[in-house]
Structure formats: C-alpha cells, structure tokens
Amino acid sequence: MSGWEPWREELADLLKRESVRLGSFTLASGRMSHYYVDGRLATLSARGAVLIGRGMLEALAEFPQVEAVGGLTMGADPIVGSMLALAGEFGRPNLIGFLVRKETKGHGTGRRIEGPIRPGLTVAIVDDVATTGGSSLQAIEEVERAGCRVAVVLAALDRLEGAAASFAARQLPFRPLLTIRDLGIEPLPSSSYQNPLERGYEQ
C-alpha cells in the first residue's frame, strides 16, 4: 500500500473488516466463490460513504464533462447520495443524480430512471462492487436509451472477474477505487467467468 492516498488505505481496511466474508458462497450466476463482498455494509456506513464518495469524486476530476452520476439500484443508491452531498467540495455544485430501476415502474409515471435526468446529459455510472459488469451494463443501456452519453464507469471495488473487459468492449473507461487484490484476496479464475448480459446482476 506504499504511496497510496490515506483515504484509499482506510477504505481497503474498512472493506476487509466490514464487507468481506471468506468461505464457500454461491453467487447469483450459480458460480461458487471462496469469498463474498457485501458492498452495502461499507456504502451504508457513515465513514464508508465519505471515503467512497470522495474517492469517486476524485476519479471524476479526469472527466470534467460529467453532469450526472447514477447506476442500477440498489448498489448505486448510497453512492449517488454520498457523491451529491460532497460534490460542492469538489467544485461540482451542479452535479445531479439518478437511479435506474431493475424493471419498469408499474404505477405512476412508469419510469425506469428516477431523478432529474434528461436527454443530452453526459453521465458517470457508479456501483459498489463490479464483477463482470452486468449491473452497470444494464444501467448503461437504459441511460443511453434515454438519450444520455456515458463517459466513465466507477466502482468502489473491482472483483477482477471480467468487468474491465466488458466496458472496454464498449470503449468505456473504467475506474475502480480498489481491486480485490488490494484486499489481499485472489480473484476467481477466468475460466469461471460468464457473459455479464446473461448473468444479470452482480454477485
């Protein structure tokens, strides 16, 4: 961890302490994993929200054109909130947020995207844990359908199981704050990956 910003080291320690569970787990894809990461145990803690929100806003400095941040519920929800709360400190007082439902709302306006999003916006997609990128790809497809342009995908943690390749195939930059190796854990072998569009949601 030599040379890391202090917040990054603190976030790695928090994730190892609060979010990582070792053992034998069946993931949503049906694959077995020797570990599980519950990102919401970090994003829904006061300190985790600050660390992740600040980290993602720092990453956005590379993309000054981004006007809105959002992603697929529920992984993105607390991250969007923390980023908006801290945006003014990073020179982005006009940043807006949005949330993408997993399915179309069955009542009211029937929208799938919640928030003040509009065609023509440049957006960043955010998530807590990226595995193969399935959750973010669903959000990307929905916001592009709404007439927005995706500039970058951000994740608090990359499990190193194919997400980067999924986004690269769409020529999208990917900026994780940490990878699973930063937590001292080796990722699953590549032979166990599955097409993210077939898997659906992360983990």
Side-chain angles (χ1 to χ4, degrees), residues 19-86:
S19 296
V20 175
R21 300 292 180 267
L22 301 179
S24 181
F25 301 92
T26 302
L27 306 182
S29 63
R31 293 177 302 144
M32 296 302 296
S33 175
H34 58 289
Y35 73 96
Y36 183 80
V37 182
D38 188 341
R40 284 171 288 279
L41 294 179
T43 61
L44 288 170
S45 70
R47 189 58 185 162
V50 169
L51 293 170
I52 293 169
R54 286 185 177 279
M56 291 200 171
L57 285 163
E58 283 191 14
L60 274 189
E62 183 185 350
F63 304 91
Q65 72 273 32
V66 168
E67 304 163 275
V69 295
L72 195 71
T73 192
M74 297 178 47
D77 298 10
I79 296 174
V80 171
S82 62
M83 291 181 74
L84 295 180
L86 297 167

Side-chain angles (χ1 to χ4, degrees), residues 89-106:
E89 299 179 27
F90 288 80
R92 293 178 181 263
N94 298 317
L95 191 69
I96 62 174
F98 62 90
L99 301 173
V100 181
R101 293 175 178 271
K102 294 178 180 177
E103 55 189 35
T104 303
K105 187 177 179 182

Side-chain angles (χ1 to χ4, degrees), residues 125-145:
I125 299 297
V126 304
D127 203 357
D128 53 1
V129 179
T131 305
T132 60
S135 294
S136 292
L137 288 173
Q138 290 185 53
I140 289 165
E141 291 176 357
E142 199 61 32
V143 297
E144 288 182 342
R145 191 175 294 120

